[in-house]
Amino acid sequence: MAQPPAFVFNVPETPEDQGQDPSPYDESEVHDSFHQLIQEQSLRAAEEGLELRVLPQREPGPETLGASELLDMSFCFVGSGHQALLGPEGVPDYSTATLRILASMPSRTIGRSRGAILSQYYNRTVRLRRRGSRPPLGGVGRSARPSLRLYDLELDPTAFQEEEKRTLLVKELQGLTVTQRDHMLRGMPLSLAEKRSLREESWTQSGKQRGPQGRRGLLPCCSRLRYACGLALHSLGLALLSALQALTPWRYALKQIGGQFGSSVLSYFLFLKTLLAFNALLLLPLLAFIVGVQAAFPPAPAGSVPTFTGLELLTGGGRFSHSVMYYGYYSNTTLNQLCGPPLDGSQCTPEAGGLPYNMPLAYLFTMGMSFFITCITLVYSMSRSFGESYRVGSTSGVHAITVFCSWDYKVTQKWPSRLQQDNIRTQLKELLAEWQLQQGPRSVWGRLRQVAILGFVWLLCLGTTLGCTLAVYAFSELMIKNPVSAEREWELLALPLVVCLLNLGAPYLYRGLAALERHDSPILEVYVAICRNLILKMVILGILCYHWLGRRVGALKGQCWENFVGQELYRLMVMDFVFTLLDTLFGELVWRFISEKQRKKRGKPEFDIARNVLELIYGQTLTWLGVLFSPLLPAMQIMKLLVLFYVKKTSLMANCRAPRRPWLASHMSTVFVSLLCFPSFLGAAVFLCYAIWQVRPSSICGPFRTLDTMYEAGKVWVRHLEKAGPRVSWLPWIHRYLVENTFPIYLVSALLLAVIYLNIQVVKGQRKVICLLKEQISNEGEDKIFLINKLHSVYEGKERSRVGRAQEAEVPPTLPADERDAR
């Protein structure tokens, strides 16, 4: 193995530096002091038998004249761990500056701070050795002798200071109570092992010191028991906290998806989780004030109840029509508490003090409050998402933050660390992908060609949407002309089947046409696909709403049309779920096989974000449309979303791959929530408001069977309150001037728009301030660079002047002035 060359050091000292401690920032003096220490150790090694062998210096020859005057000996570190001294044989004659640079290399130096410490405490080390504190090494084996490189640990006074501080700390802890001791240890910036060691030492030493005095020296049993109970409760609390974190829906699954597929695919599953929360929030008041109350006070059955055949799971009819599933089951009476025990064998009478429960009023107000809470939650979520995604205008500087600040040092296990690595790698890919999108401007011919292709594709997509709409309208009219009898209930699945087939086939056609456009940005491609699918689904739902409220209400005279609408929405939801599962299990699998066969390699298809997100919005819209006619539809939507998450996750891991062109989905959550709020929720709210205010309820079923509109339930309640007395006269006044009057509604709408406008302006102002702060930070960096360059130029000027003065000093004074200047 080749040994590194030895370097000759000649660093002259200046008179100003004599008598001062060597600075660790001055390499010449640090290494000079370290060289003196090595020389002193080598002289004593001859007497004490240290493992340092001094090699004889060779006589200086003509080619190495002055080398012996520069350095007596040189050394190098051998791989075995021993130190061997080398002579100056073959040492090239380097300049002093070159030797300083070479000595600063990590492989050639021991360290700046260590050399300074050795030089600083050199005299103290000599005194300690002369006192005989170190045992003689003459009779000790060579392998057991200490190494010179470990002496700096013994010479460092910080070790003694730390030991003294630790002793004082232990003594201080001994004088405290157990509670004060624990509180003090918790506030110390130490590791858990050190805190545990300090606690044990304070207990042990207190026991040793106070043991001979009797029982008072020992820690009382009550204190020990109290401390053990507190520690157990603390551990139990931490365990419960970790269990609650583990109960977070799909916590690790979302991390895995984000690490492997990026934020674009992760946005779909986060949106699914958001829909789950919305449905849970909608279901809770319905269960508490409508479904639960009616289940506790079931109405008398009207006629025979059909038996369960299993077909009801698809059609929603049969036995389900006589349950709390649909609107027609709920009564229009005032519900009281159960009857008390009969007196004198008479008929059962209501208990005294029983509170009446007006089911029509509860049905109407619960629906209104549920939608109002959902609206507030949606607006809050949209504004919060808008603030988070648009608050920072650009991603400049995020690359450095991701590289240096993304790692979580609390991750210790193998699987979480691998997941963290995948997540950081995917984030870097998404950030760097934005640079690849910055292409040069296209030519005029290229722009015209792109516009022509876009226009042609959009015409085809709109034509497809128009054809699907006409097909749904024609088939719905056919279903009205040919009503289905009770014996052929399975034929009711025809309209939902046609709608689901169109919703499934049209997005694949849009996806094929999008391949002709060749968008440069994958974000734009996703937005265009979302827009086309949204137009298709919203137009189809509009045709269905007209079919239910405009055509079916007149065709089902004398029947419970509310139950029919609820069953239609139930069938649409079930068929949409079935088709989604089939498309996930077979469509993506077949597409994967086709892709792998065509590419002759592992080429899995990408996850279609636009189509899957629009399926979620479509299903949620069906839930909001049907909650008035089927209060348990949110529960079905929750079960559907739970199953859909695991199915989509499994298919994603097996049949899909990460996006070929990664992109940062910073605004996708905002876009999804906005689409959920305005086209979906707003359309469902308009549909339900029209059904409540304008459509006449059925006269044979439901809580509003005796009224002209559902809204009249509130008016009837107000008339009863007016007759109740002056104590509740303020309630009719509130209903008359705040509910029936349109001015407060307009005022609240104007205030809401003003708040939204102010929020947008605040966000814009914050973005401007952030941009100004970023510009100021950039200017500060440029100022630092400017100052560093100035300091560097000043330093170079001083170095040149010092070198010039040194050269002038070396010129003999006997030479003439002109020759001295020439030299």
Side-chain angles (χ1 to χ4, degrees):
M1 180 177 178
Q3 296 180 352
F7 300 103
V8 180
F9 296 92
N10 182 19
V11 184
E13 295 183 0
T14 58
E16 296 83 14
D17 297 336
Q18 293 180 359
Q20 298 180 0
D21 291 334
S23 174
Y25 298 98
D26 193 346
E27 285 292 335
S28 61
E29 297 175 6
V30 168
H31 285 281
D32 183 68
S33 61
F34 185 74
H35 170 62
Q36 293 177 3
L37 181 60
I38 295 297
Q39 281 185 336
E40 190 271 342
Q41 294 293 336
S42 62
L43 291 177
R44 293 187 177 276
E47 300 176 0
E48 300 176 0
L50 284 175
E51 194 180 356
L52 290 174
R53 293 172 296 177
V54 181
L55 299 181
Q57 302 178 3
R58 70 177 177 87
E59 295 295 328
E63 68 279 5
T64 58
L65 185 60
S68 60
E69 299 175 0
L70 299 176
L71 186 64
D72 297 332
M73 50 187 276
S74 62
F75 63 96
C76 69
F77 293 97
V78 186
S80 60
H82 302 283
Q83 296 178 357
L85 299 177
L86 301 178
E89 300 176 356
V91 177
D93 191 6
Y94 294 111
S95 64
T96 304
T98 305
L99 291 175
R100 289 181 181 179
I101 295 174
L102 293 175
S104 301
M105 295 171 60
S107 60
R108 302 295 180 182
T109 182
I110 294 179
R112 300 188 179 191
S113 59
R114 185 177 298 182
I117 291 173
L118 288 175
S119 176
Q120 183 179 1
Y121 296 101
Y122 169 71
N123 295 328
R124 182 179 177 181
T125 307
V126 173
R127 289 195 301 270
L128 290 175
R129 290 172 181 167
R130 289 176 181 176
R131 290 176 186 175
S133 60
R134 181 170 51 83
L137 302 178
V140 182
R142 299 174 64 89
S143 61
R145 297 175 186 176
S147 174
L148 180 63
R149 286 177 291 179
L150 300 177
Y151 274 29
D152 60 335
L153 301 178
E154 300 176 1
L155 304 179
D156 192 357
T158 56
F160 301 100
Q161 296 176 3
E162 292 295 335
E163 187 66 27
E164 292 177 0
K165 292 179 180 179
R166 186 181 182 88
T167 304
L168 293 176
L169 180 59
V170 171
K171 290 181 181 180
E172 185 179 356
L173 291 174
Q174 291 173 3
L176 300 176
T177 62
V178 178
T179 305
Q180 295 176 350
R181 184 185 306 168
D182 296 340
H183 181 73
M184 186 174 180
L185 287 174
R186 288 194 191 100
M188 292 181 180
L190 301 174
S191 63
L192 292 177
E194 293 176 352
K195 292 180 181 180
R196 191 180 296 110
S197 177
L198 286 173
R199 185 184 289 111
E200 293 176 357
E201 288 182 7
S202 61
W203 285 355
T204 305
Q205 293 187 12
S206 62
K208 288 181 180 179
Q209 293 175 2
R210 303 180 185 179
Q213 298 178 4
R215 286 179 173 261
R216 293 179 302 172
L218 298 177
L219 192 67
C221 296
C222 295
S223 300
R224 285 183 176 271
L225 181 60
R226 184 176 61 182
Y227 175 74
C229 293
L231 188 62
L233 290 176
H234 183 67
S235 302
L236 180 61
L238 292 178
L240 292 177
L241 183 61
S242 61
L244 289 177
Q245 292 180 354
L247 290 177
T248 305
W250 318 308
R251 180 184 178 187
Y252 295 104
L254 293 175
K255 290 184 177 181
Q256 185 180 7
I257 294 170
Q260 294 186 12
F261 297 91
S263 59
S264 57
V265 179
L266 179 63
S267 61
Y268 166 80
F269 291 91
L270 292 176
F271 183 62
L272 191 149
K273 183 180 176 181
T274 304
L275 291 182
L276 186 64
F278 283 144
N279 284 279
L281 187 64
L282 179 63
L283 180 64
L284 288 178
L286 297 179
L287 289 177
F289 299 105
I290 297 179
V291 179
V293 175
Q294 189 63 64
F297 300 92
S304 60
V305 178
T307 58
F308 183 77
T309 60
L311 188 61
E312 292 89 343
L313 296 176
L314 294 178
T315 61
R319 184 65 180 269
F320 287 166
S321 299
H322 300 270
S323 65
V324 293
M325 185 72 187
Y326 295 112
Y327 163 92
Y329 181 78
Y330 295 88
S331 62
N332 63 333
T333 59
T334 299
L335 305 178
N336 295 315
Q337 293 185 359
L338 297 176
C339 294
L343 300 175
D344 300 332
S346 60
Q347 295 181 355
C348 112
T349 58
E351 293 182 358
L355 294 177
Y357 193 87
N358 193 339
M359 178 53 68
L361 189 64
Y363 199 96
L364 182 64
F365 271 79
T366 303
M367 288 292 174
M369 289 304 299
S370 299
F371 264 75
F372 181 74
I373 294 173
T374 303
C375 179
I376 296 298
T377 309
L378 270 174
V379 172
Y380 173 75
S381 301
M382 186 174 60
S383 62
R384 184 170 178 268
S385 179
F386 177 83
E388 289 179 355
S389 59
Y390 290 96
R391 196 175 301 275
V392 179
S394 62
T395 58
S396 59
V398 182
H399 305 79
I401 296 175
T402 306
V403 172
F404 295 105
C405 305
S406 294
W407 186 258
D408 187 2
Y409 289 94
K410 295 182 291 184
V411 176
T412 56
Q413 299 179 0
K414 185 177 181 180
W415 184 80
S417 69
R418 186 182 304 169
L419 186 61
Q420 186 82 359
Q421 292 174 6
D422 295 339
N423 207 339
I424 295 174
R425 181 172 61 251
T426 306
Q427 290 179 11
L428 290 175
K429 288 181 180 179
E430 292 175 350
L431 291 173
L432 294 175
E434 295 184 0
W435 292 353
Q436 299 178 0
L437 297 178
Q438 299 176 359
Q439 299 179 357
R442 293 184 178 181
S443 61
V444 179
W445 173 251
R447 293 179 182 179
L448 292 176
R449 179 183 178 185
Q450 183 72 15
V451 170
I453 293 175
L454 288 176
F456 176 71
V457 173
W458 269 104
L459 285 177
L460 291 179
C461 293
L462 292 178
T464 304
T465 302
L466 181 61
C468 294
T469 305
L470 293 177
V472 172
Y473 177 77
F475 200 83
S476 62
E477 291 293 328
L478 182 63
M479 293 292 294
I480 293 176
K481 295 178 180 179
N482 300 320
V484 179
S485 61
E487 293 80 8
R488 298 182 301 171
E489 192 176 1
W490 58 270
E491 293 183 2
L492 295 172
L493 297 173
L495 181 61
L497 184 63
V498 171
V499 172
C500 291
L501 284 175
L502 294 176
N503 284 329
L504 180 64
Y508 280 105
L509 180 60
Y510 296 160
R511 187 175 181 180
L513 293 174
L516 302 175
E517 296 175 334
R518 296 180 181 179
H519 292 286
D520 297 333
S521 174
I523 305 177
L524 180 60
E525 183 178 353
V526 173
Y527 286 164
V528 170
I530 287 176
C531 183
R532 291 168 181 169
N533 286 276
L534 183 66
I535 293 174
L536 172 68
K537 294 183 182 298
M538 291 299 109
V539 170
I540 290 178
L541 284 177
I543 293 298
L544 291 176
C545 291
Y546 170 75
H547 167 71
W548 293 325
L549 296 185
R551 302 288 293 168
R552 280 294 182 178
V553 173
L556 295 175
K557 290 181 178 180
Q559 302 181 20
C560 189
W561 64 267
E562 292 91 350
N563 275 6
F564 179 82
V565 174
Q567 292 173 7
E568 282 280 302
L569 288 162
Y570 176 90
R571 286 189 286 268
L572 282 171
M573 182 177 292
V574 170
M575 295 302 296
D576 178 70
F577 179 59
V578 171
F579 272 78
T580 302
L581 291 181
L582 293 177
D583 177 57
T584 303
L585 297 177
F586 297 102
E588 294 182 356
L589 184 63
V590 171
W591 192 268
R592 170 196 169 187
F593 288 154
I594 294 174
S595 300
E596 291 180 349
K597 187 175 181 180
Q598 287 180 351
R599 301 179 183 181
K600 303 298 182 182
K601 60 180 180 180
R602 189 179 181 182
K604 296 181 180 179
E606 298 181 8
F607 187 78
D608 194 350
I609 301 173
R611 181 173 57 85
N612 287 280
V613 166
L614 264 298
E615 287 178 358
L616 293 180
I617 295 177
Y618 174 75
Q620 188 61 39
T621 307
L622 292 178
T623 303
W624 283 331
L625 289 174
V627 70
L628 179 65
F629 311 105
S630 179
L632 288 182
L633 276 186
M636 290 186 55
Q637 179 71 359
I638 290 176
M639 292 186 292
K640 171 186 172 182
L641 292 175
L642 289 174
V643 176
L644 199 61
F645 177 86
Y646 292 103
V647 172
K648 287 290 184 181
K649 175 181 176 295
T650 305
S651 177
L652 177 69
M653 296 297 179
N655 302 325
C656 300
R657 63 177 176 87
R660 180 174 52 88
R661 295 185 298 173
W663 47 282
L664 186 62
S666 57
H667 307 321
M668 292 302 293
S669 299
T670 306
V671 173
F672 295 161
V673 176
S674 301
L675 293 177
L676 185 68
C677 181
F678 289 110
S680 178
F681 181 78
L682 185 61
V686 170
F687 173 80
L688 294 182
C689 288
Y690 179 79
I692 291 173
W693 263 276
Q694 298 296 330
V695 183
R696 183 182 181 86
S698 299
S699 58
I700 61 172
C701 67
F704 309 103
R705 66 189 69 176
T706 59
L707 304 174
D708 294 334
T709 59
M710 297 181 185
Y711 180 70
E712 279 196 20
K715 294 182 178 181
V716 172
W717 175 65
V718 169
R719 287 196 293 266
H720 284 292
L721 289 177
E722 291 176 350
K723 298 177 182 179
R727 291 180 301 175
V728 291
S729 60
W730 55 278
L731 289 176
W733 182 87
I734 291 177
H735 183 271
R736 185 180 302 109
Y737 290 101
L738 297 182
V739 178
E740 292 185 356
N741 195 1
T742 58
F743 177 75
I745 298 177
Y746 291 137
L747 180 61
V748 171
S749 302
L751 290 177
L752 182 61
L753 292 176
V755 169
I756 294 174
Y757 176 76
L758 291 176
N759 190 17
I760 293 174
Q761 294 300 320
V762 168
V763 171
K764 287 183 178 180
Q766 291 176 350
R767 291 180 62 186
K768 291 181 180 179
V769 171
I770 289 173
C771 292
L772 292 176
L773 291 176
K774 287 183 177 180
E775 185 178 356
Q776 184 176 356
I777 292 173
S778 178
N779 294 334
E780 292 289 340
E782 293 179 358
D783 293 343
K784 291 179 181 179
I785 294 174
F786 174 77
L787 293 175
I788 289 173
N789 292 332
K790 286 294 183 182
L791 291 174
H792 184 66
S793 61
V794 171
Y795 175 76
E796 287 182 349
K798 288 184 177 181
E799 283 292 326
R800 286 195 297 267
S801 62
R802 186 178 65 83
V803 172
R805 289 195 299 269
Q807 290 179 357
E808 290 178 0
E810 292 177 359
V811 176
T814 57
L815 295 176
D818 53 354
E819 185 177 353
R820 190 165 59 248
D821 294 339
R823 294 190 59 179

mmCIF file of all heavy atoms in Angstrom, residues 23 93 102 117 142 154 168 174 207 212 233 239 245 262 323 371 404 459 504 550 626 641 736 779 816:
data_model
loop_
_atom_site.group_PDB
_atom_site.id
_atom_site.type_symbol
_atom_site.label_atom_id
_atom_site.label_comp_id
_atom_site.label_asym_id
_atom_site.label_seq_id
_atom_site.Cartn_x
_atom_site.Cartn_y
_atom_site.Cartn_z
ATOM 1 N N SER A 23 -4.311 30.694 17.597
ATOM 2 C CA SER A 23 -5.719 30.705 17.170
ATOM 3 C C SER A 23 -5.995 29.515 16.288
ATOM 4 O O SER A 23 -5.192 29.166 15.423
ATOM 5 C CB SER A 23 -6.014 31.987 16.398
ATOM 6 O OG SER A 23 -7.309 31.937 15.878
ATOM 7 N N ASP A 93 10.260 20.114 -2.582
ATOM 8 C CA ASP A 93 10.384 21.428 -1.973
ATOM 9 C C ASP A 93 9.186 22.282 -2.376
ATOM 10 O O ASP A 93 9.187 22.953 -3.407
ATOM 11 C CB ASP A 93 11.689 22.077 -2.442
ATOM 12 C CG ASP A 93 12.003 23.330 -1.619
ATOM 13 O OD1 ASP A 93 11.245 23.577 -0.649
ATOM 14 O OD2 ASP A 93 12.980 24.018 -1.960
ATOM 15 N N LEU A 102 -2.143 22.166 1.566
ATOM 16 C CA LEU A 102 -2.111 20.713 1.698
ATOM 17 C C LEU A 102 -2.339 20.278 3.137
ATOM 18 O O LEU A 102 -2.959 19.243 3.391
ATOM 19 C CB LEU A 102 -0.765 20.184 1.181
ATOM 20 C CG LEU A 102 -0.506 20.333 -0.322
ATOM 21 C CD1 LEU A 102 0.906 19.884 -0.654
ATOM 22 C CD2 LEU A 102 -1.517 19.541 -1.115
ATOM 23 N N ILE A 117 -6.200 23.060 21.003
ATOM 24 C CA ILE A 117 -6.300 22.603 22.397
ATOM 25 C C ILE A 117 -4.985 21.993 22.857
ATOM 26 O O ILE A 117 -4.508 22.251 23.966
ATOM 27 C CB ILE A 117 -7.455 21.598 22.529
ATOM 28 C CG1 ILE A 117 -8.791 22.326 22.336
ATOM 29 C CG2 ILE A 117 -7.430 20.912 23.872
ATOM 30 C CD1 ILE A 117 -9.977 21.412 22.280
ATOM 31 N N ARG A 142 3.038 -4.012 24.062
ATOM 32 C CA ARG A 142 2.890 -2.974 23.049
ATOM 33 C C ARG A 142 1.418 -2.745 22.685
ATOM 34 O O ARG A 142 1.026 -1.623 22.381
ATOM 35 C CB ARG A 142 3.687 -3.366 21.796
ATOM 36 C CG ARG A 142 5.181 -3.524 22.065
ATOM 37 C CD ARG A 142 5.880 -4.056 20.824
ATOM 38 N NE ARG A 142 5.808 -3.122 19.718
ATOM 39 C CZ ARG A 142 6.693 -2.154 19.486
ATOM 40 N NH1 ARG A 142 7.715 -1.997 20.323
ATOM 41 N NH2 ARG A 142 6.578 -1.335 18.471
ATOM 42 N N GLU A 154 -7.759 13.390 27.561
ATOM 43 C CA GLU A 154 -7.349 13.565 28.945
ATOM 44 C C GLU A 154 -6.993 15.011 29.248
ATOM 45 O O GLU A 154 -7.169 15.482 30.361
ATOM 46 C CB GLU A 154 -6.166 12.661 29.251
ATOM 47 C CG GLU A 154 -6.464 11.176 29.058
ATOM 48 C CD GLU A 154 -5.223 10.330 29.287
ATOM 49 O OE1 GLU A 154 -4.189 10.943 29.612
ATOM 50 O OE2 GLU A 154 -5.300 9.113 29.150
ATOM 51 N N LEU A 168 -22.633 18.402 41.159
ATOM 52 C CA LEU A 168 -23.436 19.442 41.786
ATOM 53 C C LEU A 168 -24.922 19.275 41.458
ATOM 54 O O LEU A 168 -25.786 19.518 42.304
ATOM 55 C CB LEU A 168 -22.948 20.818 41.319
ATOM 56 C CG LEU A 168 -21.550 21.238 41.787
ATOM 57 C CD1 LEU A 168 -21.165 22.571 41.162
ATOM 58 C CD2 LEU A 168 -21.502 21.343 43.311
ATOM 59 N N GLN A 174 -30.897 15.807 45.030
ATOM 60 C CA GLN A 174 -31.135 15.068 46.267
ATOM 61 C C GLN A 174 -31.902 15.894 47.293
ATOM 62 O O GLN A 174 -32.639 15.341 48.106
ATOM 63 C CB GLN A 174 -29.799 14.624 46.871
ATOM 64 C CG GLN A 174 -29.080 13.561 46.054
ATOM 65 C CD GLN A 174 -27.698 13.278 46.576
ATOM 66 O OE1 GLN A 174 -27.291 13.835 47.586
ATOM 67 N NE2 GLN A 174 -26.966 12.409 45.890
ATOM 68 N N GLY A 207 -29.764 7.496 49.178
ATOM 69 C CA GLY A 207 -29.896 6.327 50.043
ATOM 70 C C GLY A 207 -28.603 5.989 50.746
ATOM 71 O O GLY A 207 -28.573 5.621 51.915
ATOM 72 N N PRO A 212 -27.481 5.303 56.998
ATOM 73 C CA PRO A 212 -27.156 5.055 58.407
ATOM 74 C C PRO A 212 -28.017 5.838 59.375
ATOM 75 O O PRO A 212 -28.071 5.518 60.552
ATOM 76 C CB PRO A 212 -25.693 5.483 58.497
ATOM 77 C CG PRO A 212 -25.175 5.381 57.103
ATOM 78 C CD PRO A 212 -26.318 5.735 56.236
ATOM 79 N N LEU A 233 -49.729 6.087 34.644
ATOM 80 C CA LEU A 233 -50.780 6.864 33.987
ATOM 81 C C LEU A 233 -50.233 7.649 32.798
ATOM 82 O O LEU A 233 -50.898 7.782 31.766
ATOM 83 C CB LEU A 233 -51.425 7.819 34.995
ATOM 84 C CG LEU A 233 -52.285 7.164 36.088
ATOM 85 C CD1 LEU A 233 -52.777 8.215 37.062
ATOM 86 C CD2 LEU A 233 -53.455 6.401 35.482
ATOM 87 N N ALA A 239 -49.870 5.850 25.347
ATOM 88 C CA ALA A 239 -50.350 4.729 24.541
ATOM 89 C C ALA A 239 -51.710 5.043 23.915
ATOM 90 O O ALA A 239 -51.954 4.730 22.743
ATOM 91 C CB ALA A 239 -50.437 3.465 25.402
ATOM 92 N N GLN A 245 -54.031 8.325 17.241
ATOM 93 C CA GLN A 245 -53.398 8.676 15.974
ATOM 94 C C GLN A 245 -53.478 7.535 14.977
ATOM 95 O O GLN A 245 -53.613 7.748 13.777
ATOM 96 C CB GLN A 245 -51.946 9.073 16.218
ATOM 97 C CG GLN A 245 -51.786 10.373 16.984
ATOM 98 C CD GLN A 245 -50.336 10.741 17.204
ATOM 99 O OE1 GLN A 245 -49.436 9.964 16.881
ATOM 100 N NE2 GLN A 245 -50.085 11.911 17.767
ATOM 101 N N GLY A 262 -47.166 10.367 -5.801
ATOM 102 C CA GLY A 262 -47.129 11.810 -5.850
ATOM 103 C C GLY A 262 -48.403 12.463 -5.327
ATOM 104 O O GLY A 262 -49.403 11.805 -5.019
ATOM 105 N N SER A 323 -90.006 0.964 5.527
ATOM 106 C CA SER A 323 -88.990 1.150 6.572
ATOM 107 C C SER A 323 -88.591 2.623 6.605
ATOM 108 O O SER A 323 -89.066 3.441 5.811
ATOM 109 C CB SER A 323 -87.769 0.255 6.309
ATOM 110 O OG SER A 323 -87.127 0.649 5.107
ATOM 111 N N PHE A 371 -78.504 20.929 5.754
ATOM 112 C CA PHE A 371 -77.945 21.550 4.547
ATOM 113 C C PHE A 371 -77.235 22.859 4.873
ATOM 114 O O PHE A 371 -76.232 23.207 4.242
ATOM 115 C CB PHE A 371 -79.064 21.786 3.528
ATOM 116 C CG PHE A 371 -79.170 20.693 2.514
ATOM 117 C CD1 PHE A 371 -79.724 19.469 2.848
ATOM 118 C CD2 PHE A 371 -78.701 20.868 1.226
ATOM 119 C CE1 PHE A 371 -79.813 18.458 1.926
ATOM 120 C CE2 PHE A 371 -78.788 19.859 0.294
ATOM 121 C CZ PHE A 371 -79.349 18.640 0.634
ATOM 122 N N PHE A 404 -33.050 19.953 2.392
ATOM 123 C CA PHE A 404 -32.368 20.063 3.675
ATOM 124 C C PHE A 404 -33.289 19.978 4.880
ATOM 125 O O PHE A 404 -32.809 19.736 5.990
ATOM 126 C CB PHE A 404 -31.598 21.383 3.748
ATOM 127 C CG PHE A 404 -30.478 21.478 2.753
ATOM 128 C CD1 PHE A 404 -30.608 22.260 1.624
ATOM 129 C CD2 PHE A 404 -29.311 20.761 2.933
ATOM 130 C CE1 PHE A 404 -29.591 22.353 0.701
ATOM 131 C CE2 PHE A 404 -28.293 20.842 2.011
ATOM 132 C CZ PHE A 404 -28.421 21.637 0.893
ATOM 133 N N LEU A 459 -65.427 20.084 -30.124
ATOM 134 C CA LEU A 459 -66.673 19.840 -30.845
ATOM 135 C C LEU A 459 -67.106 18.381 -30.733
ATOM 136 O O LEU A 459 -68.290 18.082 -30.533
ATOM 137 C CB LEU A 459 -66.502 20.243 -32.311
ATOM 138 C CG LEU A 459 -66.488 21.747 -32.605
ATOM 139 C CD1 LEU A 459 -66.226 21.986 -34.091
ATOM 140 C CD2 LEU A 459 -67.812 22.383 -32.189
ATOM 141 N N LEU A 504 -69.888 5.773 -18.004
ATOM 142 C CA LEU A 504 -68.661 4.987 -18.048
ATOM 143 C C LEU A 504 -67.971 5.059 -19.400
ATOM 144 O O LEU A 504 -66.732 5.144 -19.470
ATOM 145 C CB LEU A 504 -68.982 3.524 -17.704
ATOM 146 C CG LEU A 504 -67.801 2.559 -17.699
ATOM 147 C CD1 LEU A 504 -66.800 2.923 -16.610
ATOM 148 C CD2 LEU A 504 -68.286 1.124 -17.515
ATOM 149 N N GLY A 550 -90.716 17.093 -12.984
ATOM 150 C CA GLY A 550 -91.568 17.642 -14.024
ATOM 151 C C GLY A 550 -92.477 16.631 -14.672
ATOM 152 O O GLY A 550 -93.574 16.989 -15.131
ATOM 153 N N GLY A 626 -81.044 13.098 -3.025
ATOM 154 C CA GLY A 626 -81.999 12.133 -2.494
ATOM 155 C C GLY A 626 -82.162 12.121 -1.002
ATOM 156 O O GLY A 626 -82.944 11.314 -0.478
ATOM 157 N N LEU A 641 -68.062 4.759 0.166
ATOM 158 C CA LEU A 641 -66.742 5.388 0.155
ATOM 159 C C LEU A 641 -65.703 4.534 0.873
ATOM 160 O O LEU A 641 -64.542 4.469 0.457
ATOM 161 C CB LEU A 641 -66.827 6.775 0.796
ATOM 162 C CG LEU A 641 -67.621 7.829 0.018
ATOM 163 C CD1 LEU A 641 -67.718 9.113 0.823
ATOM 164 C CD2 LEU A 641 -66.983 8.101 -1.336
ATOM 165 N N ARG A 736 -92.000 35.512 10.629
ATOM 166 C CA ARG A 736 -92.629 36.404 9.661
ATOM 167 C C ARG A 736 -91.624 37.372 9.043
ATOM 168 O O ARG A 736 -91.655 37.620 7.834
ATOM 169 C CB ARG A 736 -93.760 37.179 10.339
ATOM 170 C CG ARG A 736 -94.553 38.059 9.375
ATOM 171 C CD ARG A 736 -95.662 38.815 10.092
ATOM 172 N NE ARG A 736 -96.579 37.912 10.764
ATOM 173 C CZ ARG A 736 -96.644 37.776 12.095
ATOM 174 N NH1 ARG A 736 -95.854 38.496 12.886
ATOM 175 N NH2 ARG A 736 -97.492 36.938 12.647
ATOM 176 N N ASN A 779 -32.356 40.329 -2.090
ATOM 177 C CA ASN A 779 -31.443 41.467 -2.041
ATOM 178 C C ASN A 779 -30.427 41.332 -0.914
ATOM 179 O O ASN A 779 -29.256 41.701 -1.053
ATOM 180 C CB ASN A 779 -32.240 42.760 -1.867
ATOM 181 C CG ASN A 779 -33.099 43.071 -3.081
ATOM 182 O OD1 ASN A 779 -32.785 42.650 -4.193
ATOM 183 N ND2 ASN A 779 -34.195 43.781 -2.873
ATOM 184 N N PRO A 816 22.135 48.726 -6.257
ATOM 185 C CA PRO A 816 21.591 50.047 -6.599
ATOM 186 C C PRO A 816 20.065 50.048 -6.510
ATOM 187 O O PRO A 816 19.412 49.007 -6.545
ATOM 188 C CB PRO A 816 22.063 50.266 -8.040
ATOM 189 C CG PRO A 816 23.192 49.336 -8.218
ATOM 190 C CD PRO A 816 22.941 48.162 -7.336
#
